[in-house]
């Protein structure tokens, strides 16, 4: 699924529209609000600076932590990121050889599992589309006897098919209707500007306009809704026009690929581009090193939240900007990620030294969930923390699954792995703390973190505000990297416990019932908790000494037996 959030902006007959430019570009305080200390500002940021101060006050020296960004791609030479990109020390750039023997040629900054010799996948299907296409001939084919036999023989697949069919039917129609709606609004922009007649967008101006046609009446309805937006209320007609065009572009960019490709049963870009056998989950050596891919906006934004550096006049910086190195693993297209790619991306990142993986993606069905779960278990065995976005449907994920999950069933008391933390999104408004889009659950969502009006890096060396649990997840990934950099002996479950138990609680509007932590993470408090409860000084040298003593003792025992 494309990870750009579609936020509610138009009401009264108009469904939703894209709203990415959600904050003033020149508000320096807003650009870094998610770093704030709640205790002194009453804004639910994550207290970044005080975390560093505490850890450094203890005389701790950080070690770089590699954070794998499993996403749409990253602009590796972005001025705000280039100094914090991981580089494969065992790979010679651009020599066409697999120098380190890991199965991937010239993987200097990471790997792209969505590419091949013929280019890169940009738009892909939604997972429900793939499921309907694959299973409809088996469960609803021309032979009713065979249909029933298959339904009986494959009950799990049949249940997934029926769920997918319902979602596909509903969402595909919504995508088509939305595309039609926003195309109509986009075409009506000249009429709206003409009605304003050079005047500013105010209630008084609108009250004085008498629409002469049905088209004018529709234009007036849109203008009335837009006039409630503080970004353009009272602004000149020219600014209103620029704003409307930008908003409609975002909406059309979102719904066009969905309507034309994402929910198109005849669309399949995989075979001709990647060239793998998609149904063979054992395949690993495919893809290319096109780290950015066709659209790296989402992944670049995520990377900046984790490890962005202050750049020129831009004061944006990531939570772990002092300690993290970003490894990019491209596995998320414009559409739904494929389970095979996710599993391979996890294993690639783990095998190449990443200690934290950020996963800002998800979908309602997962045909290859067992393969992904096996990769999660592999990450757990290697001591790697998985950080996962809760999703943007404003749903309880115990009732509406959002794969990949760390619970094999919503009814399970505990997750089947101990190395995943699931993250919901909060705003900078203490009275309306839950972001309106964020998924939630008192058991299956662990913590909340800032995910609304988040300013970060985007391609072409630029910066933008985006919002979503996709933005909250890397805040937590960055927080985890800070803890691990200064206390490298920490285990994933200890990092999770430290973040959950020290969150700043808030009970407004039932916020305390939406996650295990009942609040928003506080990196400084988590650092103090981890230091007091889990940190062991010189743990690596101590283990070496213990090992040496053990070897001596064994030799002494062997001598005594001679």
């Amino acid at each position: 699924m494309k990870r750009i959030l579609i936020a509610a902006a138009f009401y009264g007959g108009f469904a939703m529209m894209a709203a990415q430019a959600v904050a003033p570009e020149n508000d320096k305080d807003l650009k870094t609000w998610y770093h704030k200390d709640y205790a002194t500002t009453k804004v639910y940021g994550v207290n970044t600076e005080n975390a560093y101060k505490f850890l450094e006050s203890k005389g701790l020296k950080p070690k770089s932590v590699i954070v794998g960004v499993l996403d749409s791609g990253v602009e590796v030479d972005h001025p705000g990121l280039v100094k914090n990109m991981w580089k494969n020390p065992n790979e010679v750039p651009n020599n066409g050889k697999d120098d380190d023997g890991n199965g991937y040629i010239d993987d200097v900054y990471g790997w792209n599992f969505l590419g091949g010799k013929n280019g890169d996948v940009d738009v892909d299907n939604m997972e429900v589309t793939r499921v309907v296409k694959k299973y409809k001939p088996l469960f609803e084919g021309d032979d009713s006897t065979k249909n029933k036999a298959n339904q009986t023989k494959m009950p799990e697949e049949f249940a997934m098919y029926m769920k997918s069919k319902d979602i596909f039917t509903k969402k595909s129609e919504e995508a088509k209707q939305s595309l039609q709606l926003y195309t109509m609004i986009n075409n009506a922009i000249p009429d709206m500007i003409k009605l304003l007649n050079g005047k500013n967008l105010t209630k008084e101006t609108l009250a004085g306009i008498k629409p002469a046609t049905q088209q004018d009446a529709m234009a007036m309805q849109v203008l009335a809704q837009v006039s409630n937006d503080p970004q353009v209320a009272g602004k000149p007609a020219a600014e209103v026009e620029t704003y409307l065009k930008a908003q409609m572009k975002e909406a059309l960019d979102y719904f066009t690929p969905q309507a034309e490709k994402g929910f198109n049963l005849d669309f399949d870009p995989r075979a001709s581009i990647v060239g793998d056998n998609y149904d063979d989950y054992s395949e690993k050596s495919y893809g290319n090193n096109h780290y950015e891919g066709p659209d790296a906006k989402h992944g670049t934004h995520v990377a900046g939240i984790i490890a962005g550096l202050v750049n020129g006049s831009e004061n944006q910086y990531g939570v772990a900007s002092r300690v993290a190195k970003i490894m990019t693993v491209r596995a998320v297209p414009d559409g739904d990620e494929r389970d095979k790619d996710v599993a391979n991306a996890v294993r690639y990142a783990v095998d190449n030294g990443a200690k934290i993986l950020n996963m800002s993606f998800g979908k309602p069905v997962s045909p290859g969930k067992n393969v992904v779960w096996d990769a999660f278990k592999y990450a757990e065995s290697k001591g790697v923390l998985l950080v996962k976005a809760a999703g943007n449907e404003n749903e309880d994920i115990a009732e509406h699954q959002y794969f990949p999950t760390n619970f094999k069933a919503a009814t399970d008391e505990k997750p089947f792995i101990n190395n995943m933390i699931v993250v919901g999104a909060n705003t900078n408004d203490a009275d309306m703390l839950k972001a309106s889009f964020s998924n939630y659950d008192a058991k299956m969502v662990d913590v909340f973190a800032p995910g609304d009006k988040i300013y970060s890096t985007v391609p072409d060396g630029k910066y933008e505000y985006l919002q979503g649990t996709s933005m909250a997840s890397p805040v937590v990934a960055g927080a985890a990297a800070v803890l691990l950099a200064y206390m490298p002996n920490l285990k994933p479950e200890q990092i999770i416990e430290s973040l959950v138990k020290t969150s700043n609680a808030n009970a407004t509007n039932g916020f305390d019932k939406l996650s295990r932590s009942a609040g928003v993470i506080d990196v400084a408090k988590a650092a103090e908790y981890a230091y007091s409860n889990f940190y062991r000084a010189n743990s690596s040298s101590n283990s070496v000494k213990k090992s040496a003593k053990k070897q001596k003792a064994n030799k002494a025992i062997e001598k005594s037996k001679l």
Side-chain angles (χ1 to χ4, degrees):
M1 179 187 295
K2 190 173 184 181
R3 304 302 161 199
I4 296 173
L5 182 75
I6 300 300
F10 281 28
Y11 300 93
F14 300 104
M16 295 187 296
M17 67 179 291
Q20 285 185 258
V22 292
E25 293 295 317
N26 58 356
D27 189 336
K28 290 188 175 181
D29 184 64
L30 190 61
K31 288 179 180 180
T32 58
W33 78 262
Y34 61 95
H35 295 295
K36 288 189 174 185
D37 170 18
Y38 171 72
T40 58
T41 67
K42 301 308 174 187
V43 172
Y44 280 87
V46 300
N47 205 6
T48 306
E49 291 305 313
N50 285 329
Y52 285 108
K53 287 178 182 177
F54 170 79
L55 293 164
E56 289 168 2
S57 74
K58 298 299 179 182
L60 304 182
K61 303 297 181 185
K63 295 181 179 179
S64 290
V65 174
I66 301 170
V67 180
V69 172
L70 281 54
D71 216 292
S72 66
V74 174
E75 185 176 73
V76 298
D77 58 352
H78 191 293
L81 289 173
V82 65
K83 292 181 181 178
N84 270 347
M85 292 303 302
W86 169 78
K87 290 190 74 174
N88 187 342
N90 301 313
E91 194 73 23
V92 178
N94 304 317
N95 69 351
K97 297 178 182 178
D98 180 16
D99 299 291
D100 58 3
N102 68 354
Y104 304 99
I105 296 171
D106 288 335
D107 58 322
V108 177
Y109 295 103
W111 194 246
N112 169 27
F113 286 101
L114 301 179
K117 293 179 180 178
N118 297 321
D120 304 292
V121 173
D122 182 6
V123 181
D124 202 346
N125 305 115
M126 311 307 286
E127 190 65 77
V128 293
T129 307
R130 298 192 281 260
V131 170
V132 169
K133 182 178 181 178
K134 180 176 181 178
Y135 288 106
K136 186 173 183 179
L138 295 175
F139 298 137
E140 293 188 306
D142 296 332
D143 189 328
S144 60
T145 303
K146 284 185 178 179
N147 292 342
K148 289 180 180 178
N150 288 332
Q151 292 167 16
T152 303
K153 190 178 7 178
M154 298 183 285
E156 185 178 344
E157 289 85 350
F158 180 58
M160 179 177 65
Y161 168 73
M162 293 303 291
K163 178 180 179 180
S164 298
K165 181 184 173 184
D166 286 345
I167 296 171
F168 174 83
T169 302
K170 178 184 176 183
K171 295 292 186 180
S172 60
E173 188 58 35
E174 284 180 1
K176 290 173 185 174
Q177 291 177 355
S178 296
L179 177 58
Q180 184 179 18
L181 170 66
Y182 292 117
T183 300
M184 181 175 64
I185 296 174
N186 187 58
N187 293 339
I189 291 176
D191 295 317
M192 298 180 214
I193 304 308
K194 186 178 179 182
L195 286 172
L196 287 176
N197 195 27
K199 297 179 181 178
N200 290 2
L201 179 60
T202 64
K203 301 292 184 184
E204 292 74 20
T205 297
L206 296 180
I209 299 173
K210 305 299 180 188
T213 65
Q214 187 175 357
Q215 194 169 350
D216 285 351
M218 190 203 80
M220 280 293 295
Q221 189 177 2
V222 177
L223 284 173
Q225 299 304 319
V226 174
S227 68
N228 295 319
D229 189 331
Q231 289 190 74
V232 285
K235 296 293 177 65
E239 289 188 33
V240 175
E241 182 178 19
T242 300
Y243 170 83
L244 284 169
K245 285 180 177 179
Q247 294 291 290
M248 288 304 103
K249 182 181 184 303
E250 293 293 347
L252 293 173
D253 285 350
Y254 182 82
F255 286 112
T256 300
Q258 276 197 28
E260 296 180 355
K261 296 177 179 178
F263 291 106
N264 184 344
L265 292 168
D266 297 321
F267 178 70
D268 180 10
R270 182 82 180 196
S272 63
I273 295 177
V274 180
D276 65 322
N277 175 7
Y278 177 63
D279 290 323
D280 181 2
Y281 285 105
S282 67
E283 271 187 301
K284 293 178 173 59
S285 297
Y286 61 91
N288 60 36
N289 67 347
H290 299 170
Y291 315 109
E292 188 169 348
D295 183 2
K297 186 173 192 175
H298 190 271
T300 303
H301 199 271
V302 165
I305 294 168
I306 297 169
L309 289 163
V310 172
N311 166 41
S313 61
E314 294 289 354
N315 64 334
Q316 185 275 340
Y317 62 98
V319 178
S321 60
R322 304 182 198 178
V323 297
K325 298 297 180 185
I326 297 295
M327 174 194 294
T328 173
V329 191
R330 187 169 182 263
V332 185
D334 183 349
D336 277 335
E337 64 282 351
R338 295 176 183 249
D339 294 324
K340 176 180 178 179
D341 298 335
V342 172
N344 282 329
V346 169
R347 291 179 182 274
Y348 174 89
V350 171
D351 288 342
N352 286 278
K355 300 306 294 182
I356 298 168
L357 307 186
N358 186 82
M359 301 184 295
S360 291
F361 52 79
K363 56 190 178 181
V365 294
S366 179
K369 58 182 180 291
N370 289 317
V371 177
V372 176
W373 285 340
D374 286 345
F376 285 1
K377 287 294 290 183
Y378 181 68
E380 180 186 47
S381 73
K382 299 295 184 179
V384 174
L385 176 69
L386 306 174
V387 186
K388 172 74 169 57
N392 299 329
E393 287 74 32
N394 188 28
E395 294 176 341
D396 185 331
I397 59 173
E399 299 174 11
H400 304 272
Q401 284 179 296
Y402 192 70
F403 292 97
T405 66
N406 54 343
F407 284 81
K408 291 197 171 180
T411 53
D412 292 348
E413 184 180 344
K414 294 181 179 179
F416 75 97
I417 49 175
N418 64 11
N419 63 323
M420 181 187 284
I421 184 168
V422 180
V423 187
N426 68 272
T427 72
N428 60 349
D429 182 348
D431 294 326
M432 298 291 290
L433 193 56
K434 175 190 170 295
S436 60
F437 50 79
S438 181
N439 287 348
Y440 54 89
D441 184 71
K443 178 179 71 173
M444 298 178 72
V445 173
D446 296 291
V447 295
F448 272 67
D452 180 57
K453 302 184 185 72
I454 305 299
Y455 193 75
S456 185
T457 47
V458 292
D460 299 326
K462 296 178 181 177
Y463 295 77
E464 280 188 23
Y465 287 96
L466 295 181
Q467 53 190 26
T469 58
S470 283
M471 284 64 250
S473 181
V475 170
V476 173
V482 172
L483 301 185
L484 192 59
Y486 286 90
M487 296 174 281
N489 68 280
L490 292 181
K491 298 175 181 178
E493 61 268 30
Q494 293 171 337
I495 294 173
I496 294 170
E497 180 180 323
S498 299
L499 290 166
V500 169
K501 288 201 170 182
T502 60
S503 290
N504 290 315
N506 183 305
T508 306
N509 297 319
F511 187 81
D512 56 330
K513 305 293 193 301
L514 304 180
S515 69
R516 284 205 304 130
S517 71
V520 177
I521 69 161
D522 186 308
V523 196
K525 289 182 179 179
E528 291 184 35
Y529 183 94
Y531 182 82
S532 299
N533 292 280
F534 304 126
Y535 176 63
R536 297 192 309 274
N538 302 318
S539 55
S540 57
S541 60
N542 284 344
S543 62
V544 170
K545 288 175 185 176
K546 285 178 183 176
S547 177
K549 284 181 181 177
K550 191 174 182 181
Q551 287 176 11
K552 265 189 173 181
N554 288 339
K555 284 180 181 178
I557 291 169
E558 286 171 8
K559 274 189 177 182
S560 67
K561 288 180 179 178
L562 295 174

